[in-house]
Amino acid sequence: MQNILGVQPINRLIAKFSIPAIISMLVGAIYNIVDQIFIGNGVEEIAIGATTIAFPIVIVCIAVALLCGVGGASNYNIESGRGEIARARHAAGSALFLMCAAGALLMIIVLIFLTPILRFCGATDMLLDYSITFTSITALGMPFLILTSGGAHLIRADKSPNYSMACILSGTILNIILNPLFIFGFKWGIAGSAWATVSGQVVSASMVAFYFLTKQKMGLHWRDLRPHWHRIKRVLSLGSASSINQVAMLIVQILLNNQLGRYGAQSIYGAEISVTCAGVVSKVSMLFMGITIGISQGCQPIWGFNYGARNYERVIETYKKAAIMCFAIGVMAFSLFQVFPVQIIGLFGVESPEGIVFATRYFRIFMLMTFINGIQPMSSGFFTSIGRAKLGIITSITRHIIFFSPLVLILPRFWGIDGIVFAGPIADTAAAIIAISFAIREVKHLLKKTENSP
């Protein structure tokens, strides 16, 4: 029986795998947005800043989940395409082992060093108490978040994209239901939002565990969970690009929080409003990025299997169609961010004149290059899926590390907080140019392979 990844029309496969992945990414982004909306309206405006301060810790969890999940799934797809079924199972089992071990370790570290970590992430005196309350609770959900986010990639690689989506969707729905109940009904304040988040993560992780215990098709056995260094090394290699992209986001978020606090205090807006509003814009932009990353994640099984099977024409066709979709989504997001910034920011309970002015300016300038922003993460996923780990890593760090971080340190010295605002579109443009250049070169290389194949 032929694998559907190698024979079904590309459009149908992209829809089959990308739509559930997109929904999963969107509901993951909604986790954070729901927290901010209910906290902003049920606690107070600056309390939103606590979730912004805690966000780097969430990024660390996602980075670990991607390191294990994308690495395991990419390995599984490539080995399956080559017909190496036993090696494919070992890759998936090693990834699951890493997720469980890393989740427990990270939770312990965060709980022990909570206050220093939050200070390092940019917590001001006014935000510290809220940040401690929120993060001390959400840290308990870190093992479940990592298992859900990483396990979803393996479930998708096992040709069950709808179940992968259901795992994440179930937790998000519960979070949305419990947030107003805990904040407004039980009057738990910001702690209520944190407990709602953890509850959703536990439910999602339980569904992932249930899948691998009873429903998985890959034939995974308990013995496949035993760690083997050579297989773990391969998982970490192919998962490193996606993980490093998240680590780069972590570095940028911490740097951005501190720079916004420093230069915001010197501006008419103030430190807390600058951090809070920038956090809102970041969470909203995650909805757009969630769609483009979902497209990339949905295409990864198609890229990986067909590359392993040497069906290079299908690999190229999938990349071209994914790029067109990412660009189209980017144009729509760009239009929304430019036309409706005031309406979007109003959803989060930001009502102060300074907050509205800064958030509007931040939306329109910082997100100016939204229409091409999806190409870079999509291309990084493409390179990882075909085993080009180093190229995927380089592409993943261009925007955050090579361009944005130096700009956000240098430009404010001359233009104050406006330097931070303009650093975004400059970095986005440079990163997109590099990603497109690498992708064109790789596609040409695959075309040559196609011409030389018998």
Side-chain angles (χ1 to χ4, degrees):
M1 181 178 177
Q2 290 182 305
N3 193 307
I4 61 170
L5 296 172
V7 295
Q8 280 194 2
I10 296 298
N11 286 339
R12 186 186 303 175
L13 286 172
I14 291 177
K16 178 181 177 66
F17 285 87
S18 289
I19 290 175
I22 289 169
I23 294 173
S24 298
M25 289 300 301
L26 289 179
V27 298
I30 289 171
Y31 256 126
N32 297 298
I33 289 177
V34 165
D35 288 341
Q36 293 211 333
I37 289 176
F38 286 120
I39 290 171
N41 288 279
V43 186
E44 62 175 315
E45 183 177 312
I46 67 164
I48 299 175
T51 64
T52 303
I53 297 301
F55 192 54
I57 300 173
V58 177
I59 294 175
V60 171
C61 293
I62 300 301
V64 172
L66 291 176
L67 181 66
C68 306
V70 172
S74 297
N75 248 297
Y76 179 83
N77 290 324
I78 291 173
E79 297 294 356
S80 295
R82 292 171 178 165
E84 299 286 351
I85 305 303
R87 290 183 179 180
R89 288 201 310 267
H90 292 160
S94 297
L96 282 171
F97 169 82
L98 287 173
M99 290 175 212
C100 296
L105 180 61
L106 282 174
M107 178 187 68
I108 293 170
I109 291 173
V110 170
L111 289 174
I112 292 175
F113 301 103
L114 183 59
T115 300
I117 289 173
L118 293 174
R119 284 291 193 187
F120 180 72
C121 291
T124 64
D125 291 337
M126 291 182 64
L127 293 175
L128 184 60
D129 287 344
Y130 279 131
S131 300
I132 290 174
T133 300
F134 185 79
T135 311
S136 62
I137 297 170
T138 55
L140 301 175
M142 291 174 67
F144 305 103
L145 173 59
I146 290 173
L147 179 59
T148 300
S149 300
H153 290 277
L154 292 176
I155 294 172
R156 196 178 303 116
D158 199 31
K159 299 186 288 295
S160 298
N162 290 330
Y163 190 93
S164 175
M165 173 189 67
C167 291
I168 298 175
L169 188 60
S170 61
T172 302
I173 291 174
L174 181 62
N175 182 28
I176 293 172
I177 294 171
L178 295 181
N179 243 294
L181 177 63
F182 289 171
I183 293 176
F184 299 105
F186 294 173
K187 300 189 184 302
W188 288 355
I190 197 169
S193 180
W195 281 118
T197 298
V198 172
S199 299
Q201 291 166 346
V202 170
V203 169
S204 293
S206 298
M207 290 187 64
V208 171
F210 178 77
Y211 179 87
F212 285 107
L213 288 172
T214 64
K215 298 175 68 67
Q216 44 103 2
K217 307 182 187 75
M218 58 179 62
L220 199 65
H221 301 291
W222 285 107
R223 62 178 176 270
D224 295 316
L225 299 176
R226 290 180 298 179
H228 298 280
W229 172 242
H230 68 282
R231 186 55 55 190
I232 288 176
K233 184 178 178 181
R234 182 66 174 165
V235 168
L236 298 179
S237 173
L238 290 186
S240 58
S242 298
S243 179
I244 288 174
N245 187 51
Q246 291 292 314
V247 172
M249 287 176 59
L250 166 68
I251 294 170
V252 166
Q253 189 66 55
I254 293 172
L255 178 62
L256 191 59
N257 287 346
N258 284 280
Q259 288 292 87
L260 285 166
R262 177 183 177 184
Y263 290 98
Q266 300 172 14
S267 71
I268 61 173
Y269 310 114
E272 283 73 30
I273 284 179
S274 298
V275 172
T276 296
C277 292
V280 169
V281 174
S282 174
K283 300 297 173 58
V284 173
S285 69
M286 284 178 60
L287 287 173
F288 153 67
M289 293 304 293
I291 297 175
T292 59
I293 294 173
I295 292 172
S296 175
Q297 291 180 354
C299 290
Q300 283 174 5
I302 310 171
W303 287 324
F305 179 87
N306 285 287
Y307 185 84
R310 300 183 179 181
N311 294 328
Y312 302 125
E313 290 182 351
R314 289 174 65 83
V315 176
I316 295 169
E317 182 184 354
T318 305
Y319 178 83
K320 289 180 177 178
K321 290 182 176 180
I324 292 170
M325 286 187 284
C326 287
F327 179 75
I329 295 297
V331 171
M332 288 187 283
F334 168 81
S335 301
L336 287 173
F337 295 162
Q338 295 300 313
V339 177
F340 302 110
V342 176
Q343 290 82 355
I344 294 172
I345 200 71
L347 294 173
F348 294 83
V350 176
E351 298 176 346
S352 64
E354 296 86 357
I356 292 173
V357 170
F358 179 72
T360 300
R361 181 173 176 78
Y362 200 84
F363 250 126
R364 287 179 171 161
I365 299 175
F366 194 83
M367 304 303 298
L368 186 63
M369 301 305 295
T370 299
F371 57 91
I372 60 170
N373 279 359
I375 300 297
Q376 182 245 347
M378 188 274 294
S379 297
S380 179
F382 166 66
F383 299 137
T384 298
S385 298
I386 62 174
R388 301 277 281 163
K390 291 183 180 179
L391 199 56
I393 291 171
I394 294 171
T395 307
S396 69
I397 66 174
T398 51
R399 195 271 181 187
H400 299 299
I401 300 299
I402 297 177
F403 299 118
F404 185 77
S405 294
L407 287 170
V408 85
L409 285 171
I410 295 169
L411 295 185
R413 294 177 178 269
F414 301 97
W415 297 302
I417 199 167
D418 280 349
I420 299 174
V421 176
F422 281 95
I426 296 173
D428 292 338
T429 303
I433 290 172
I434 289 180
I436 292 169
S437 300
F438 283 168
I440 290 173
R441 188 182 70 176
E442 194 62 30
V443 167
K444 288 181 178 178
H445 179 66
L446 291 175
L447 284 172
K448 287 184 180 178
K449 282 189 172 184
T450 302
E451 294 170 357
N452 295 332
S453 61

